């Protein structure tokens, strides 16, 4: 292990130009040499200033006694907190000491496309031994973001870290203490081994399957129905706690991460879901929290007691902890494990850690059957719908599916690809079509519709400041999220990325478009657009629709956003579940150069 003094030296040096370049001070991990048994550190340092050096290395890592291989930046997982300031430019010098190409994508940042950091889309990547400088102009935003590799599956191995951008003026969110909580996973399994197992059996990591002896609230008829569909009501996450240890700032739940507070203080927690494949349900038992920002953008405070955060999303909340200690629980959506941190009034103070709740079950709404008009029983391909009168016990709360007793499934076919628009490519990559994919932005997320407390939904989000483009979209676009779960095939519009790279999604500069995402699968997908914010169509007034860079599209449902395409260049657009993206749910968005196109005058720019 490195000594504390040496760590301090390296931490300070990482923020100073040129220091890490001095060979005399270059640590072993930064040279790409053997670490001689030195482990990657958990937790992160902080770097800031006009020029920041980051070095990608690798080495062994141990989490709660489990040993694996890690890709680290500046010697730790997560890598350092990059602290920036609104209005100030920054040069980020990234050195790759791996024996393979690498990259860093600045997730959620508005920047020139050539510095977005996606190999093959916006730059060639960083080759072994090379240093690439991301020369960013003055930062145009504030808030909570993160960075991660966009090369292969490196992100799963630990190649990620947080970003905080401080406002140039007063921060509308006032707090006595300000912490980052970066959620992620650790596994001793190599990422490509995970991918290989998913391709061979997509339910490989699902240890919560239905059995003859389980106590899930399913009747025999329900079980036969799911079996005939060759689907599992517990197919919530592809990779689970069977291999993952869930992490809070790189620490396992037994490793004691704590955030100190004094009684009466307001504490800001910046939650970043930097995981590869996990949705988390975040709560502090006994506390009410106020959501104050989503994806880095301030929103009107929303009092809740729990929220679901999809991969790649960020939420900031304020809490006023009471007592000696309170536990922050980040439970994986399938309830197979949790990350834990403690709000502590003194070092070492602890509060009880609640047990994992019962595993949730998928519903008819998750099959794309919300709100359908059903009358009597009938047959669906491969399904006995006379048996569907005893559906799962937790239908979506805001798009209540009707009791299955009343359903007439005659003529329905969840594999009826004739319901798809003609631009969706039908083939073996599609094994399900949502029959009634309603807007599910009012849903709290899988498994949270029946909890006895208030849970955040997208419809609660209202932008704190008015949006600057109030034009009505000039056209609408519909994109289907498609897949074949049995074969672990994922795509947009039935086409995996490798087959559509020459046919990107095209926008004219400054074009205003409404994009509707239709999820034809039974899994929730966090869809991320690089280089832009879009306004989520969630029922908020047009000038207060919340701006986000990532949107969860619930299973069998839809979500829409309005986009002003005013960042020219090529941008990635993809599902942020790492193995879904790797399997093909990825596209390129091309925004035409500005050329002579006039800038759209925005609200508040003049007068």
């Amino acid at each position: 292990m490195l000594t504390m003094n040496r760590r301090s030296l390296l931490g300070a040096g990482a923020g100073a130009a040129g220091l890490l370049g001095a060979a005399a001070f270059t640590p072993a991990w930064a040279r790409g040499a053997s670490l001689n048994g030195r482990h990657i550190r958990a937790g992160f340092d902080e770097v800031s200033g006009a020029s920041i050096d980051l070095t990608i290395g690798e080495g062994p890592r141990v989490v709660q006694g489990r040993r694996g291989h890690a890709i680290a930046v500046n010697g730790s997982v997560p890598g350092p907190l990059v602290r920036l300031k609104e209005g100030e430019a920054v040069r980020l010098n990234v050195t790759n000491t791996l024996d393979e190409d690498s990259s860093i994508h600045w997730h959620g940042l508005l920047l020139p496309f050539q510095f977005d950091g996606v190999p093959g889309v916006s730059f060639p990547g960083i080759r072994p031994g090379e240093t690439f400088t991301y020369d960013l102009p003055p930062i145009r935003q504030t808030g909570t973001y993160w960075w991660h590799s966009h090369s292969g599956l490196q992100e799963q191995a630990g190649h990620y870290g947080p970003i905080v951008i401080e406002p140039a003026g007063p921060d509308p969110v006032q707090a006595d203490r300000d912490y980052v909580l970066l959620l992620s996973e650790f596994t001793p399994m190599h990422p490509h081994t995970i991918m290989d197992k998913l391709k061979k059996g997509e339910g490989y990591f699902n240890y919560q399957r239905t059995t003859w002896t389980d106590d899930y609230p399913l009747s025999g008829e329900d079980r036969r129905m799911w079996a005939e569909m060759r689907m599992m009501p517990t197919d919530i996450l592809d990779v689970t706690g069977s291999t993952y240890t869930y992490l809070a700032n790189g620490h396992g739940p037994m490793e004691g991460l704590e955030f100190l507070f004094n009684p009466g203080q307001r504490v800001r927690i910046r939650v970043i879901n930097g995981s590869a494949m996990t949705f988390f349900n975040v709560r502090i038992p006994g506390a009410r929290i106020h959501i104050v920002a989503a994806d880095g953008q301030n929103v009107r405070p929303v009092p809740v007691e729990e929220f679901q955060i999809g991969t790649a999303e960020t939420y900031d909340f304020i809490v006023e902890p009471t007592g000696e200690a309170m536990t922050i629980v980040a439970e994986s959506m399938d309830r197979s494990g949790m990350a834990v941190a403690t709000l502590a009034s003194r070092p070492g103070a602890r509060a009880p850690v609640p047990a994992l709740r019962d595993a949730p079950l998928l519903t008819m709404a998750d099959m794309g059957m919300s709100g359908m008009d059903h009358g009597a029983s009938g047959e669906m391909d491969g399904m006995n719908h006379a048996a569907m009168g005893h559906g799962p016990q937790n239908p979506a709360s805001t798009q209540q599916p009707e009791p299955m007793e009343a359903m007439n499934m005659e003529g329905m076919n969840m594999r009826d690809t004739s319901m798809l628009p003609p631009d969706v490519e039908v083939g073996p990559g599609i094994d399900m079509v949502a029959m009634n994919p309603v807007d599910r932005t009012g849903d709290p997320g899988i498994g949270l519709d029946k909890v006895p407390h208030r849970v955040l939904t997208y419809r609660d989000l209202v932008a704190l400041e008015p949006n600057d483009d109030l034009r009505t979209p000039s056209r609408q676009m519909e994109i289907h999220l498609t897949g074949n779960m049995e074969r672990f095939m994922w795509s947009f519009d039935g086409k995996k990325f490798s087959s559509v790279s020459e046919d990107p999604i095209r926008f004219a500069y400054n074009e205003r478009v409404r994009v509707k995402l239709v999820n034809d699968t039974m899994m929730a997908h966090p869809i991320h657009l690089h280089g832009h914010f879009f306004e989520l169509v969630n029922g908020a007034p047009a000038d207060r629709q919340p701006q986000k860079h990532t949107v969860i599209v619930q299973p069998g449902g839809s979500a829409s956003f309005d986009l002003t395409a005013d960042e020219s260049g090529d941008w990635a657009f993809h599902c942020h579940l790492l193995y879904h993206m790797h399997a093909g749910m990825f596209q390129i968005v091309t925004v035409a150069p500005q050329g002579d196109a006039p800038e759209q005058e925005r609200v508040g720019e003049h007068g």
Side-chain angles (χ1 to χ4, degrees):
M1 296 287 290
L2 299 174
T3 67
M4 289 300 294
N5 288 339
R6 187 170 176 78
R7 288 182 191 175
S8 301
L9 172 63
L10 296 175
L19 182 56
L20 289 181
F25 294 96
T26 302
W29 52 262
R31 295 196 301 269
S34 169
L35 294 172
N36 294 323
R38 292 179 179 140
H39 296 155
I40 299 296
R41 290 178 291 126
F44 48 80
D45 304 317
E46 180 176 320
V47 293
S48 62
S51 182
I52 293 172
D53 296 329
L54 300 170
T55 301
I56 304 166
E58 60 185 328
R61 184 183 181 198
V62 176
V63 176
Q64 294 186 176
R66 304 173 76 205
R67 182 184 178 94
H69 171 264
I71 295 179
V73 174
N74 286 12
S76 66
V77 174
L81 164 64
V82 176
R83 188 174 292 277
L84 306 176
K85 188 162 187 177
E86 182 186 22
E88 295 184 359
V90 61
R91 292 171 62 90
L92 296 144
N93 310 304
V94 180
T95 300
N96 177 19
T97 70
L98 305 178
D99 58 5
E100 62 182 19
D101 287 8
S102 190
S103 59
I104 289 183
H105 160 59
W106 312 99
H107 185 103
L109 265 60
L110 301 171
L111 38 63
F113 77 93
Q114 64 268 29
F115 299 128
D116 188 47
V118 182
V121 176
S122 51
F123 87 136
I126 308 172
R127 292 182 174 79
E130 290 187 349
T131 297
F132 182 85
T133 297
Y134 296 80
D135 197 356
L136 306 189
I139 303 296
R140 293 179 278 159
Q141 60 200 102
T142 66
T144 306
Y145 306 93
W146 64 298
W147 54 265
H148 61 85
S149 172
H150 231 291
S151 298
L153 301 175
Q154 293 175 3
E155 181 190 319
Q156 176 75 89
H159 189 342
Y160 50 79
I163 299 173
V164 171
I165 305 176
E166 298 176 347
D171 194 328
V173 179
Q174 294 296 308
D176 300 299
R177 293 181 184 256
D178 193 336
Y179 294 111
V180 169
L181 174 58
L182 196 163
L183 303 171
S184 60
E185 321 110 336
F186 165 79
T187 171
M189 195 174 291
H190 193 283
H192 284 287
T193 302
I194 292 177
M195 186 70 189
D196 184 60
K197 292 184 181 302
L198 290 171
K199 289 295 289 184
K200 290 176 179 172
E202 58 89 22
Y204 180 88
F205 297 101
N206 183 1
Y207 281 31
Q208 300 182 144
R209 301 184 188 206
T210 53
T211 69
W212 285 109
T213 58
D214 68 57
D215 57 358
Y216 291 124
L218 294 167
S219 68
E221 291 174 330
D222 294 331
R223 293 168 190 271
R224 283 193 293 276
M225 181 269 291
W226 283 100
E228 288 169 3
M229 288 191 295
R230 301 190 303 277
M231 294 179 175
M232 291 180 287
T234 59
D235 198 357
I236 309 294
L237 293 173
D238 291 309
V239 192
T240 70
S242 65
T243 186
Y244 282 153
T245 299
Y246 297 106
L247 306 178
N249 291 0
H251 298 273
M254 299 174 66
E255 293 180 331
L257 175 67
E258 58 186 29
F259 301 125
L260 295 176
F261 71 94
N262 292 325
Q265 287 187 323
R266 284 166 53 90
V267 179
R268 179 178 187 164
I269 305 289
R270 302 171 184 262
V271 185
I272 302 169
N273 188 344
S275 71
M277 290 295 284
T278 307
F279 287 59
F280 290 98
N281 298 326
V282 180
R283 71 188 196 278
I284 303 175
R288 171 162 287 199
I289 62 179
H290 288 78
I291 303 293
V292 295
D295 287 1
Q297 304 302 296
N298 293 324
V299 298
R300 293 176 180 171
V302 185
V304 297
E305 290 168 82
E306 187 166 8
F307 64 93
Q308 187 169 98
I309 182 170
T311 301
E313 290 188 303
T314 73
Y315 283 107
D316 293 18
F317 68 81
I318 295 289
V319 62
E320 297 183 32
T322 58
E324 187 174 51
M326 305 189 89
T327 301
I328 305 175
V329 179
E331 191 177 48
S332 65
M333 184 168 66
D334 70 333
R335 317 274 169 80
S336 63
M338 64 172 68
V340 171
T342 301
L343 285 160
S345 61
R346 60 172 176 78
R350 291 292 180 271
V353 178
L356 289 168
R357 296 173 291 189
D358 292 339
L361 296 173
L362 295 174
T363 71
M364 293 300 105
D366 300 323
M367 297 169 63
M369 298 179 185
S370 295
M372 298 181 72
D373 182 15
H374 312 294
S377 63
E379 290 298 319
M380 186 187 299
D381 280 2
M383 300 172 66
N384 176 6
H385 296 288
M388 294 176 68
H390 306 282
Q393 302 300 307
N394 51 347
S397 61
T398 55
Q399 304 293 340
Q400 293 283 350
E402 298 174 5
M404 296 303 287
E405 286 88 346
M407 284 191 170
N408 179 3
M409 313 303 286
E410 187 172 3
M412 291 183 175
N413 179 357
M414 62 184 297
R415 292 184 172 84
D416 182 4
T417 54
S418 68
M419 295 190 296
L420 295 169
D423 57 340
V424 175
E425 185 172 298
V426 176
I430 297 179
D431 70 346
M432 175 183 160
V433 178
M435 289 181 285
N436 192 37
V438 301
D439 184 327
R440 298 188 67 188
T441 53
D443 282 26
I446 293 173
L448 294 181
D449 55 301
K450 296 299 184 186
V451 296
H453 51 252
R454 184 177 178 187
V455 182
L456 181 76
T457 77
Y458 278 161
R459 292 186 187 170
D460 295 321
L461 299 176
V462 179
L464 187 65
E465 300 294 333
N467 296 317
D468 59 1
D469 191 350
L470 302 183
R471 292 176 296 164
T472 300
S474 59
R475 68 178 171 112
Q476 298 190 36
M477 171 183 293
E478 185 171 295
I479 299 172
H480 285 249
L481 318 183
T482 46
N484 183 324
M485 294 176 69
E486 281 190 290
R487 300 185 183 188
F488 204 73
M489 299 171 71
W490 302 101
S491 57
F492 288 128
D493 289 337
K495 291 162 276 193
K496 63 180 292 187
F497 174 64
S498 59
S499 64
V500 295
S501 58
E502 298 301 321
D503 186 21
I505 299 170
R506 299 180 188 277
F507 295 110
Y509 184 82
N510 248 345
E511 186 180 17
R512 180 85 165 158
V513 183
R514 174 159 294 183
V515 179
K516 180 179 181 180
L517 302 174
V518 178
N519 188 350
D520 283 308
T521 80
M522 288 179 57
M523 303 206 84
H525 297 281
I527 303 300
H528 173 49
L529 173 62
H530 287 221
H532 294 76
F533 284 94
F534 47 74
E535 296 149 31
L536 191 62
V537 180
N538 68 339
D543 67 333
R544 299 285 179 155
Q545 293 180 153
Q547 296 199 23
K548 294 186 97 277
H549 51 59
T550 303
V551 57
I552 299 173
V553 189
Q554 298 292 345
S558 68
S560 298
F561 61 79
D562 293 337
L563 171 70
T564 298
D566 58 357
E567 303 289 341
S568 61
D570 293 333
W571 304 97
F573 175 71
H574 61 91
C575 176
H576 222 287
L577 295 175
L578 184 63
Y579 299 98
H580 289 191
M581 178 181 69
H582 197 67
M585 193 176 275
F586 187 101
Q587 241 308 1
I588 295 174
V589 164
T590 295
V591 179
Q594 179 177 1
D596 296 328
E599 276 287 355
Q600 174 67 30
E601 183 173 317
R602 301 292 169 76
V603 173
E605 285 189 334
H606 299 284

